Amino acid sequence: MTIRRRDFLKAAGAAAGAAVLPGCATMRDGTAGKVVVVGGGYGGATAARYLRMWSNGAVGVTLIEPREAFVSCPLSNLVIGGSKTIADVTMPYDALWRRWGVDVVRDTASGVDIDKRVVTTAGGRSFAYDRLVLSPGVEFMFDAIPSYRADPARAVEIAPHAWQAGPQTVLLRRQLEAMPDGGIFAIVIPLAPYRCPPGPYERTCQVAWYLKRAKPKSKILVLDGNPDVTSKAGLFKKAWSEEYRGLVEYRPNHALTDVDLGTRTAKFETADDVRADVLNVVPPQRAGAIARAAGVITANNRWCEVDFLSFESIRGKGVHVLGDAIQIAQGMPKSGHMANNHAKVAAAAILRQLAGQAPNPTPMLVNTCYSFITDKDVVHVASVHQYDSEKKTLLPVQGAGGLSPAMNEMEGRYAFSWAQNIWNDAVGG
Ligand SMILES: Cc1cc2nc3c(=O)[nH]c(=O)nc-3n(C[C@H](O)[C@H](O)[C@H](O)COP(=O)(O)OP(=O)(O)OC[C@H]3O[C@@H](n4cnc5c(N)ncnc54)[C@H](O)[C@@H]3O)c2cc1C
C-alpha cells in the first residue's frame, strides 16, 4: 500500500502536535523518506518505533543494533541486589519489526558519510538515508585509567563496571555472591556528567539490601569522584544512616588515577588507596564511538551538541543525536526517560522536516528517575524541561518538578509501572 504525500503531511502535522497515530505493520513502503537509526536502546528504539507509527508507515526505518535483545539499565541494579534477574530486564526486538515494520539489522555501524548520507557497518553493509538518528549511548573512557589501556576486556572482568546492562551486570552479581561475609564492596564513581546521576547511589542501596540479609559483617565503600552525592543526596544519605546503618561509608572527592588489577586496589589523586574484595569501577564516559566516526562530537571532545528543537547535530547536517551521547541542557540528566523524550521530539521534527515543514517551536520534555532503596521502597526526582526560544535551549520549568519526601512502597509500585510502560513504549507492540 502506498501512502499519498497529502496523507503523510497530515500524519507529520499530527505528530508535531503529539497526537499518536495508529501503527500499521503492513505499510513498509517508505515512500516519504528513509531514516537510519543507530542504536536500539532507550533513545534509538523509541525513535524507530515513533517514526513508523507517526508516519503511518510512510517513512522507512532501518535500526542498526548489534545486541540480540533490549537490555534495560533501569532496574538492572535490582539484578545486582538479587531481587530481579537479567531476564526480567531483557526484551526482544520482535515487536519493532513485526508490529511497526522497522527493519532491524543486527550489526554495528562503523562509519558515516555525511555528504553522501550513507552509513556503513562492521558487517560490510551500507545503508543510504535521508535522515540519520544516532543514539549509541556512552563509550567508556578506558584510556583514562592507565592499567585499563592495554587490555580493557581483562580489566572489566576483574573490576566490572556493570554500567551497560547485560553480562557485566551478571558478573558483578556473581562476584558479590562469591564475596565472603566481612568483605569489602567498593564502588568508584566518576566525575559528573555520567550516565544516570543517581545510579551509583541506587546501586549502593541494592548491594546494601543484599549484604544486610546475606553477609551483614561486610562493608560498602562509596568512593565518589564528586564533592557530594550528585542526585537525591538527602534521601540517599538518610537511607545509608538509617536503613543501612553501619554498612555504608560515603567518601567524597575520590578522583580515580589508576587501579592495581592484581590486588583490586583503587588509587586516587589525593585520598588513600582502597583495596576491595569486589571492586565496581564506573569509568568516565563519552558519546558512543560512532558519534566520533560521524564527526558530531563537538563539546569537550566527549559529547554532541544539538539543536534542541530537532536534536539535529550542530555540525552534522541531517544527523540527529539522542540520549546519553548529547551535551545536556541545564538540569537535564543522562537518563532513559530523557532519551525516550529526545526520541519523540526528534521523530516529530524529522517527519516535519521530511515534509518540508519546520519543527515544533515549543517542545516540552519530562523526566522522572526512580531509585530503589530496598527491593520495594523507592524515591524519585522529577523535572520538566521547556524550550526557551531566546536562549535557544531547554530549561527546567521552575516549581514543576520535585523530590519524594521519603522512601515508600507506593513509589515502588509506580517505579515498576514506569519501567513496564517505557519498555512498551520503546520495544513493545
Ligand atoms: C545502573 C543504571 C541504572 C539506571 N537507571 C535508570 C533509571 O532508573 N531511569 C532512567 O531514566 N535511566 C536510568 N539509567 C540511564 C539509562 O540507562 C540511559 O540514560 C539510557 O540507556 C540512555 O539511552 P541511549 O539510547 O542514549 O543509550 P542506550 O540505552 O545505552 O542504547 C545505546 C544502544 O546503542 C547500541 N550501539 C552503540 N554503538 C553502536 C553502533 N556503532 N552501531 C549500532 N548500535 C550501537 C548499543 O548496543 C545500545 O543498545 C540507568 C543507567 C544505569 C547504568
Side-chain angles (χ1 to χ4, degrees):
M1 183 191 295
T2 305
I3 298 275
R4 283 166 303 153
R5 182 170 162 78
R6 198 184 51 205
D7 295 337
F8 169 65
L9 288 175
K10 263 191 344 211
V20 176
L21 297 168
C24 180
T26 55
M27 289 186 281
R28 299 186 184 197
D29 58 7
T31 49
K34 173 82 198 157
V35 180
V36 172
V37 178
V38 173
Y42 273 86
T46 310
R49 180 245 178 99
Y50 274 79
L51 282 162
R52 290 290 295 169
M53 188 170 79
W54 279 343
S55 73
N56 233 350
V59 169
V61 177
T62 299
L63 172 67
I64 304 174
E65 164 61 55
R67 304 211 289 176
E68 191 185 359
F70 176 97
V71 190
S72 172
C73 284
L75 261 56
S76 70
N77 281 331
L78 275 64
V79 178
I80 293 164
S83 63
K84 293 280 172 204
T85 66
I86 199 75
D88 294 329
V89 298
T90 303
M91 280 130 280
Y93 282 114
D94 295 21
L96 274 185
W97 55 269
R98 218 188 284 282
R99 166 99 204 260
W100 300 111
V102 174
D103 290 321
V104 181
V105 173
R106 201 161 164 211
D107 207 338
T108 300
S110 52
V112 177
D113 186 326
I114 288 186
D115 296 330
K116 293 193 179 131
R117 299 202 171 207
V118 171
V119 178
T120 45
T121 69
R125 285 178 276 189
S126 302
F127 297 91
Y129 63 81
D130 297 307
R131 293 264 153 189
L132 173 64
V133 174
L134 298 181
S135 194
V138 292
E139 175 183 52
F140 298 105
M141 294 165 64
F142 295 129
D143 45 347
I145 310 172
S147 59
Y148 279 48
R149 274 179 212 145
D151 193 352
R154 175 177 167 265
V156 300
E157 284 293 303
I158 296 169
H161 53 74
W163 219 243
Q164 178 67 62
Q168 276 276 299
T169 315
V170 174
L171 175 64
L172 187 60
R173 171 67 190 165
R174 283 209 197 106
Q175 290 192 359
L176 201 55
E177 284 174 319
M179 187 177 93
D181 192 4
I184 292 177
F185 172 94
I187 177 165
V188 179
I189 305 168
L191 202 59
Y194 58 85
R195 157 175 286 184
C196 192
Y201 314 112
E202 178 190 56
R203 177 167 295 173
T204 301
C205 293
Q206 288 307 301
V207 172
W209 180 80
Y210 167 67
L211 293 179
K212 185 175 170 178
R213 279 152 191 82
K215 296 163 189 178
K217 288 187 244 147
S218 307
K219 179 129 195 152
I220 301 172
L221 298 178
V222 184
L223 308 167
D224 198 338
N226 298 283
D228 199 357
V229 172
T230 60
S231 176
K232 305 175 211 168
L235 291 163
F236 283 121
K237 285 179 179 172
K238 190 171 157 64
W240 300 336
S241 66
E242 294 177 5
E243 183 72 22
Y244 301 121
R245 188 177 193 80
L247 254 178
V248 178
E249 184 180 327
Y250 179 73
R251 299 183 187 170
N253 297 314
H254 273 58
L256 187 78
T257 53
D258 204 357
V259 177
D260 181 338
L261 293 166
T263 59
R264 282 203 181 85
T265 301
K267 297 168 176 294
F268 302 95
E269 232 165 61
T270 52
D272 291 343
D273 293 359
V274 172
R275 204 203 70 76
D277 297 288
V278 177
L279 184 59
N280 176 200
V281 175
V282 181
Q285 297 141 39
R286 60 187 169 222
I290 190 66
R292 188 170 304 280
V296 292
I297 293 184
T298 52
N300 305 325
N301 204 20
R302 283 173 80 180
W303 309 111
C304 307
E305 290 164 284
V306 296
D307 172 350
F308 287 111
L309 288 180
S310 61
F311 286 81
E312 188 166 358
S313 157
I314 62 160
R315 188 172 296 160
K317 198 156 170 38
V319 181
H320 301 253
V321 190
L322 315 177
D324 290 352
I326 70 162
Q327 168 76 353
I328 45 177
Q330 184 195 322
M332 179 187 271
K334 290 189 183 292
S335 75
H337 200 150
M338 287 275 47
N340 169 282
N341 274 225
H342 299 169
K344 290 173 187 171
V345 173
I350 288 169
L351 295 184
R352 292 189 68 127
Q353 286 166 327
L354 287 174
Q357 299 171 354
N360 168 18
T362 52
M364 175 93 81
L365 292 80
V366 294
N367 184 73
T368 306
C369 279
Y370 291 102
S371 297
F372 280 81
I373 303 294
T374 69
D375 61 332
K376 46 177 134 16
D377 298 291
V378 162
V379 294
H380 83 272
V381 59
S383 51
V384 179
H385 306 261
Q386 188 170 30
Y387 191 75
D388 182 309
S389 50
E390 267 175 33
K391 296 191 172 126
K392 294 196 180 346
T393 187
L394 289 161
L395 292 177
V397 176
Q398 294 310 313
L403 271 178
S404 310
M407 71 173 192
N408 63 88
E409 252 187 80
M410 176 64 89
E411 289 196 43
R413 291 200 284 278
Y414 290 163
F416 284 125
S417 299
W418 172 90
Q420 206 53 62
N421 287 332
I422 203 161
W423 294 341
N424 280 339
D425 206 32
V427 290

